[in-house]
Amino acid sequence: MSKRSRPSEMPSISLKVKSQDGQDLYFKIRSDTKFIKLFTAYCDKRQLEYRTIQFFHEGQRILGSHTPARLNLEDNDEIEAMTHALGGGCSGIDKHAKAQIC
């Protein structure tokens, strides 16, 4: 029996990865494939460093060790790719600007 005809093989699903700037990339992966494979492919295509991006589905962070099956993702679901946000505090800002911003 060939690999393609095995009934126990997980089905493939299509997923859209949407970046913060609105660019979409589409991937087709098996439901039992770890997301690290999709994430590194996305970063390679967008020329990004993997460690600078976080991935989310419906507000929940997706880890590289997760799979579409584990998260119950369906065909054509969307994943958001977000750049890490660092900082956000007001240290290093002069006191006059701090009063207006913070």
Side-chain angles (χ1 to χ4, degrees), residues 28-93:
K28 186 168 190 156
I29 64 171
R30 286 185 8 193
S31 295
D32 62 345
T33 300
K34 291 185 179 182
F35 273 113
I36 186 72
K37 192 170 183 177
L38 181 145
F39 296 163
T40 54
Y42 172 84
C43 290
D44 287 346
K45 286 180 187 260
R46 295 288 318 272
Q47 297 180 337
L48 301 168
E49 288 188 48
Y50 171 70
R51 62 183 176 87
T52 65
I53 306 295
Q54 292 182 335
F55 297 89
F56 297 87
H57 175 67
E58 296 180 348
Q60 299 296 313
R61 181 145 184 230
I62 303 172
L63 301 179
S65 60
H66 290 162
T67 65
R70 177 177 173 178
L71 301 178
N72 296 316
L73 295 186
E74 298 176 356
D75 206 29
N76 300 313
D77 274 350
E78 181 177 291
I79 294 172
E80 298 87 27
M82 306 293 215
T83 305
H84 285 288
L86 299 176
C90 292
S91 64
I93 300 175

